[in-house]
Amino acid sequence: MAEEKISNEPDVVVKIPQELPLLALKNSVVFPFLSTPLVVGRKKSIEAVNSASREHKIIVVVAQKVEGKDAVEKDDLYDVGTACAIKQVVNISNDEVKCVVEGISRVKIKYFTQTEPYFRVFTETMTEEPYGINNETETLNTTIRLQVEKFIQLGIPLPTTFVVAATNISKPEVQADLFASYLLSETSQKQVILEETNIERRLKKLTDFLAEELRKFEVQSQIRDKVQKEVGKTQREYYLRQQLKAIKEELGESDESFELINDLEKKLEKKNFPKEAKEKVQKEIKRLESMNSMSPEYSYIRTYVDWMLEVPWSEKTKDILDIKKAKSILDSDHYDLEKVKEHILDYLAVRKLKGKSTKGPILCFVGPPGVGKTSLGQSIAKSMGRKFIRMSIGGIRDEAEIRGHRRTYVGALPGRIIQGLSQVKTNNPVFMLDEIDKVGADFRGDPSSALLEVLDPEQNNSFRDHYLEVPYDLSNVMFITTANILDTIQPALRDRMEIIEIPGYSSEEKIHIAEKFLIPKQMEEQGVKKYNLKFSPDAILLIIEQYTREAGVRNLEREIGNVCKKVAREVLENKKYPKIITKNKVAQYLGVSKIQPSEIEDKNRVGVATGLAYTPVGGDIILIESTHYKGSGKLTLTGSLGDVMKESAKAAISYVHAKASDYGISESLFNKSDIHIHVPAGAVPKDGPSAGVSITTSLLSALTGIPVIRDVGMTGEITLRGRVMPIGGLKEKLLAAKRAGLKKVLLPAKNKKDLEEVPQTILKGLNLVFVENIDEVLRHALETDPSTGRKKHSHLQEGQNISPVIA
């Protein structure tokens, strides 16, 4: 409804026919003596206007009970309306007519004479009850005028015609209609004023309605004043958005926040939530619904609800429980690693027999860099038909990385565990936590302690992320962790994981891996796949032994890639390139060898024993040298030895000193001579107890003058009583012995059981002797047994074929 105009009180009484066309108004009321422009769009309404225009230009205008309803019946209309004179009719379009009507009198609808194609009604003119001017009427008039002045003071926008009419019109009944039409916002309130024929009661009701409107406007005015005092960018945007919201409502456009709430509720219904999580999300959505979209907390709650809807509470992938297929996938992706593969296949077998209640295993792959720990996790996921997530936790120091931030912090997010699950959208992926041995700790917390809950099958079914604030079930996730060493992992955390050691590869294994995986991969990556290059086994072995020094195959792959790059360059330069890469070509392409293989002595020497060591890149041999010279009994240890290795050297000195007479060593030698023990490669730190046997052998050789047999290697910890204790890293040490050309290896007797895990390819060609004490070591390691003085023949005749011997 557009601006209304106030007509003067009519001098001529207009005769109103009893039967008239009816025009229904959606959300307004027309009062007598007011000119009102109307836009008519409904078919029935247009027919009524056209009919009235053809007849006597008088029509009944009635408000409908339900505002905005399009299709109305006679029961949807009020019984009291206004008979109006049609002053002007303009056709805007085929579907719309604009007309100006002026109210004449209140009328009451007696009955409907027609409902189609438009409403016609039989009416009765309502006469107003006579009244007299008394004190109460005067008081009511004064109150109403004061209320109108208050409206003007509050800055309510009112047209000039209203202000002029309010000051000029003196009749109370006309004033009441005028004020009700302009100042009341509710159609139902206007209708009450229209239906009241008693002037005094009409004024009382108007006073009450105006007081109610004033209270609303006063609150709005207070809010507006407060906002203006704290004016700023945010407040200004809020005010504009509220205005935009009101405009959209007037235009019939939907509210964005209302659509958002509906969308969130639909997603909530579709998703299968645990009861506690669902109640939490419902509560937050209700808070969101009652909150203003410009409030800072609105965005926090919105982000939280989005995360809760993103997290996979019940979504999971179906496991592949075909053992043969899983084995085929594991074998095609990785060479050897039988222990790991068997473990995965065992788990799948149990999963198939037991069903869905099987808890996911928590494995820890421990081994040197480049042996395939991370890629093995991907293969496990592939073989089980699960999604794969890799999360590197090396170097993280904040507990919130695991458990998330509390929602009170700005920019709070769930921990990386929940984030990873949200990315793959399943609650049963294979989740790899890489570099668990390199987790740090500082004032922000200890991530290792946070992982105790994540990696405990008895607790992780109710893992609580600080951000989500509700328990989340991690028991379906298969966690796999990787580490290079176990020493730095917290003991409680280590206890929760099943440790699977992945040792370094032997040269034979590396040749297999290179031929099957690395060479095809690098030929494709370097663009020479179509040229069908072949690497001879000797060429691969040369790269392994003289261009890389590692337990894994990462550098081997890099060097193979360098060879392929050289071939690619020769192809582009139209040079003749080799079809088969030989040893000579490798030397030509890669240049001077980077690694000098560890070599044993060229002959048996006094005071030099060959020990076996375990390093982060695999096994190696170490030559331990001992000598003595005139002095005062001082001991010198050199070669970057760690504390444990120094203690082993002191234990060896004490043992030899205690048993000196048994070995024919003079007691005075220890008082009148200084002893120096040195381990070459002084720049490389060395530590550990397993060199005890080698140090003792070297020392006894130096003090007795009996040479050590050059091709005998040894390892083992010694006690003060001369017992040989077990060691670790057996496979790596035997690999080093084989690479160095040793023929006989002396091992602690208690390590005999560990041979089951050493491949036969490594054992082939090695004579393994298991010893329990240092006397047995000396009988095999020295040319002459110092306790008997009997000289031995070499244990290997020239050209003799050696098979593994366990003594």
Side-chain angles (χ1 to χ4, degrees):
M1 184 177 74
E3 183 183 317
E4 298 170 315
K5 295 181 181 179
I6 299 93
S7 65
N8 294 324
E9 300 165 33
D11 297 326
V12 180
V13 177
V14 179
K15 187 176 180 181
I16 302 171
Q18 286 187 304
E19 187 178 357
L20 292 169
L22 182 142
L23 172 62
L25 296 184
K26 287 184 178 181
N27 55 2
S28 186
V29 174
V30 175
F31 287 91
F33 309 118
L34 295 181
S35 292
T36 308
L38 301 174
V39 177
V40 182
R42 289 183 285 195
K43 190 175 179 182
K44 275 189 175 183
S45 301
I46 293 173
E47 289 286 347
V49 171
N50 291 337
S51 175
S53 299
R54 290 194 298 270
E55 296 176 13
H56 25 61
K57 296 188 180 297
I58 296 178
I59 192 168
V60 177
V61 179
V62 181
Q64 59 191 52
K65 296 175 183 176
V66 181
E67 292 187 19
K69 188 176 180 180
D70 284 326
V72 293
E73 303 296 332
K74 57 184 181 180
D75 293 334
D76 296 326
L77 303 172
Y78 287 108
D79 294 334
V80 176
T82 306
C84 298
I86 298 176
K87 295 296 185 180
Q88 185 181 11
V89 178
V90 177
N91 290 324
I92 300 174
S93 65
N94 293 333
D95 299 327
E96 278 189 338
V97 171
K98 184 178 180 181
C99 64
V100 179
V101 298
E102 183 181 305
I104 302 172
S105 174
R106 288 171 170 78
V107 294
K108 186 176 180 67
I109 298 171
K110 303 296 286 183
Y111 55 85
F112 283 76
T113 59
Q114 176 183 313
T115 57
E116 295 295 338
Y118 60 90
F119 292 121
R120 287 185 72 88
V121 292
F122 191 85
T123 63
E124 178 184 35
T125 303
M126 298 172 67
T127 56
E128 295 180 349
E129 297 178 16
Y131 70 95
I133 302 298
N134 53 36
N135 289 337
E136 190 171 357
T137 309
E138 287 290 343
T139 302
L140 289 170
N141 269 330
T142 303
T143 302
I144 289 171
R145 284 189 172 276
L146 289 173
Q147 287 174 325
V148 172
E149 288 177 8
K150 187 71 174 175
F151 271 100
I152 296 170
Q153 289 171 7
L154 288 172
I156 309 302
L158 295 169
T160 308
T161 51
F162 168 80
V163 179
V164 173
T167 54
N168 293 334
I169 295 175
S170 57
K171 289 188 176 183
E173 66 271 25
V174 180
Q175 277 187 348
D177 291 346
L178 172 68
F179 296 154
S181 177
Y182 277 93
L183 300 178
L184 298 184
S185 58
E186 299 289 335
T187 303
S188 58
Q189 293 177 343
K190 292 181 181 180
Q191 184 66 28
V192 169
I193 300 299
L194 181 68
E195 292 179 359
E196 186 56 67
T197 55
N198 182 286
I199 302 302
E200 194 172 312
R201 287 200 296 270
R202 189 188 301 171
L203 293 173
K204 283 182 181 178
K205 290 178 180 177
L206 179 61
T207 303
D208 293 341
F209 290 151
L210 289 178
E212 189 178 332
E213 289 293 322
L214 272 174
R215 279 195 294 273
K216 291 181 187 176
F217 283 122
E218 281 174 351
V219 171
Q220 291 177 3
S221 178
Q222 288 171 4
I223 293 171
R224 189 166 57 249
D225 291 344
K226 189 175 180 181
V227 169
Q228 286 172 350
K229 286 177 185 176
E230 301 172 1
V231 69
K233 183 179 178 181
T234 305
Q235 287 79 6
R236 182 172 176 272
E237 286 182 359
Y238 167 75
Y239 182 69
L240 292 173
R241 286 181 185 278
Q242 289 299 104
Q243 285 190 329
L244 183 62
K245 181 180 176 182
I247 292 168
K248 285 186 175 182
E249 286 177 356
E250 287 295 322
L251 293 173
E253 295 181 6
S254 59
D255 184 13
E256 289 180 7
S257 61
F258 180 73
E259 282 187 356
L260 171 66
I261 299 298
N262 278 345
D263 185 45
L264 294 176
E265 286 176 343
K266 286 177 184 175
K267 288 181 179 178
L268 178 62
E269 289 303 317
K270 289 179 183 178
K271 202 169 182 71
N272 186 14
F273 273 90
K275 183 181 177 183
E276 189 176 345
K278 188 168 187 177
E279 288 174 354
K280 181 72 175 174
V281 177
Q282 286 173 334
K283 180 181 176 182
E284 295 299 324
I285 290 177
K286 284 181 182 177
R287 286 183 65 196
L288 205 62
E289 195 172 358
S290 62
M291 193 174 289
N292 193 291
S293 61
M294 290 303 297
S295 169
E297 198 175 353
Y298 183 91
S299 62
Y300 302 155
I301 297 175
R302 166 76 190 280
T303 305
Y304 173 78
V305 173
D306 284 342
W307 269 111
M308 291 290 280
L309 293 171
E310 283 292 320
V311 172
W313 297 93
S314 58
E315 298 84 351
K316 60 178 65 178
T317 52
K318 189 176 180 182
D319 284 351
I320 297 175
L321 300 178
D322 187 337
I323 307 296
K324 290 183 179 178
K325 185 175 180 181
K327 187 176 188 305
S328 173
I329 292 171
L330 289 171
D331 288 341
S332 64
D333 287 351
H334 285 82
Y335 178 77
D336 196 30
L337 304 179
E338 293 302 325
K339 187 177 178 181
V340 184
K341 293 176 183 177
E342 282 183 12
H343 192 96
I344 300 305
L345 297 176
D346 290 346
Y347 168 72
L348 290 177
V350 173
R351 184 89 164 77
K352 188 170 185 177
L353 290 175
K354 190 176 179 183
K356 296 182 180 179
S357 60
T358 312
K359 292 179 181 176
I362 295 172
L363 308 178
C364 180
F365 297 158
V366 180
V371 294
K373 299 185 295 294
T374 305
S375 60
L376 184 58
Q378 293 175 316
S379 296
I380 290 170
K382 184 179 173 184
S383 67
M384 296 175 69
R386 294 190 180 189
K387 298 284 185 69
F388 178 76
I389 314 167
R390 177 189 164 274
M391 176 177 132
S392 179
I393 57 176
I396 68 167
R397 296 176 175 274
D398 191 353
E399 179 200 357
E401 293 278 352
I402 306 298
R403 280 212 178 109
H405 299 82
R406 298 194 183 277
R407 288 170 59 197
T408 50
Y409 296 106
V410 176
L413 287 173
R416 291 173 66 184
I417 302 285
I418 298 296
Q419 287 186 42
L421 294 174
S422 299
Q423 287 170 8
V424 296
K425 302 190 184 308
T426 63
N427 68 359
N428 66 335
V430 173
F431 204 124
M432 175 161 279
L433 301 172
D434 231 351
E435 314 293 355
I436 198 170
D437 56 327
K438 299 174 185 65
V439 175
D442 62 10
F443 65 93
R444 290 167 292 186
D446 182 3
S448 293
S449 299
L451 285 169
L452 292 176
E453 182 184 5
V454 175
L455 300 179
D456 190 341
E458 300 301 323
Q459 296 181 36
N460 65 10
N461 59 351
S462 57
F463 169 68
R464 277 190 177 267
D465 186 278
H466 288 158
Y467 185 80
L468 297 186
E469 297 178 345
V470 292
Y472 186 85
D473 186 1
L474 291 174
S475 61
N476 294 316
V477 180
M478 183 177 185
F479 284 104
I480 298 175
T481 64
T482 70
N484 296 128
I485 53 175
L486 288 173
D487 299 344
T488 56
I489 303 176
Q490 192 182 109
L493 183 59
R494 191 163 65 234
D495 183 59
R496 282 163 164 77
M497 302 182 292
E498 187 169 345
I499 308 297
I500 297 178
E501 293 191 2
I502 302 178
Y505 297 111
S506 66
S507 297
E508 290 83 354
E509 289 171 333
K510 288 183 181 180
I511 291 172
H512 280 289
I513 293 168
E515 289 176 341
K516 190 173 180 182
F517 301 103
L518 306 184
I519 293 172
K521 179 183 175 184
Q522 284 301 317
M523 285 173 61
E524 185 169 351
E525 285 190 4
Q526 311 306 334
V528 294
K529 184 178 180 180
K530 61 183 177 181
Y531 298 103
N532 297 320
L533 295 180
K534 301 290 182 185
F535 281 71
S536 70
D538 289 342
I540 300 172
L541 186 62
L542 182 67
I543 298 175
I544 292 168
E545 293 186 343
Q546 296 192 26
Y547 293 90
T548 64
R549 186 182 184 81
E550 57 178 348
V553 292
R554 193 168 285 147
N555 286 323
L556 174 59
E557 182 179 2
R558 192 174 292 122
E559 296 299 335
I560 290 171
N562 290 335
V563 171
C564 292
K565 288 173 185 174
K566 297 289 185 183
V567 174
R569 181 179 171 187
E570 289 182 350
V571 169
L572 287 179
E573 292 177 349
N574 296 318
K575 293 180 181 178
K576 187 177 181 180
Y577 62 90
K579 291 287 186 181
I580 298 176
I581 306 297
T582 61
K583 288 175 66 174
N584 293 334
K585 279 295 179 183
V586 167
Q588 179 186 332
Y589 289 147
L590 300 182
V592 179
S593 60
K594 301 174 183 176
I595 308 296
Q596 290 299 323
S598 299
E599 294 180 350
I600 59 176
E601 291 292 306
D602 55 350
K603 65 178 182 177
N604 298 347
R605 294 182 184 274
V606 173
V608 181
T610 306
L612 301 175
Y614 176 78
T615 70
V617 294
D620 200 0
I621 66 168
I622 53 174
L623 298 175
I624 297 176
E625 302 173 347
S626 299
T627 188
H628 67 96
Y629 46 87
K630 191 173 181 179
S632 58
K634 188 173 68 172
L635 173 66
T636 304
L637 302 170
T638 56
S640 297
L641 307 186
D643 290 339
V644 177
M645 201 165 183
K646 287 178 181 177
E647 289 173 2
S648 293
K650 291 173 183 176
I653 290 283
S654 298
Y655 172 77
V656 173
H657 197 161
K659 301 277 286 184
S661 59
D662 294 347
Y663 298 124
I665 302 172
S666 172
E667 186 71 32
S668 61
L669 185 65
F670 293 95
N671 300 322
K672 297 178 180 179
S673 300
D674 289 346
I675 296 173
H676 188 167
I677 300 173
H678 176 69
V679 183
V684 181
K686 308 166 192 73
D687 205 0
S690 64
V693 167
S694 310
I695 294 172
T696 306
T697 304
S698 170
L699 188 60
L700 271 166
S701 172
L703 295 176
T704 59
I706 302 172
V708 181
I709 299 172
R710 57 183 285 274
D711 52 8
V712 174
M714 61 200 75
T715 181
E717 180 182 355
I718 66 157
T719 68
L720 288 175
R721 292 176 294 164
R723 294 179 57 200
V724 179
M725 306 300 290
I727 46 86
L730 182 61
K731 180 185 174 183
E732 289 79 3
K733 290 179 178 180
L734 291 176
L735 272 172
K738 184 157 187 169
R739 277 199 300 263
L742 295 175
K743 305 304 180 186
K744 180 187 286 188
V745 179
L746 309 181
L747 300 172
K750 290 185 178 179
N751 283 113
K752 191 173 182 179
K753 57 182 173 45
D754 299 327
L755 280 185
E756 293 180 5
E757 297 181 4
V758 180
Q760 288 298 316
T761 54
I762 297 175
L763 298 177
K764 187 178 180 181
L766 288 177
N767 182 4
L768 305 182
V769 179
F770 291 92
V771 294
E772 292 188 352
N773 55 62
I774 202 69
D775 289 335
E776 293 179 26
V777 173
L778 298 176
R779 283 199 295 272
H780 290 279
L782 301 183
E783 284 187 357
T784 304
D785 187 343
S787 59
T788 63
R790 223 171 9 185
K791 187 164 183 170
K792 302 193 300 289
H793 295 287
S794 174
H795 66 277
L796 175 65
Q797 300 299 325
E798 191 69 32
Q800 182 181 341
N801 184 25
I802 298 175
S803 58
V805 177
I806 300 174

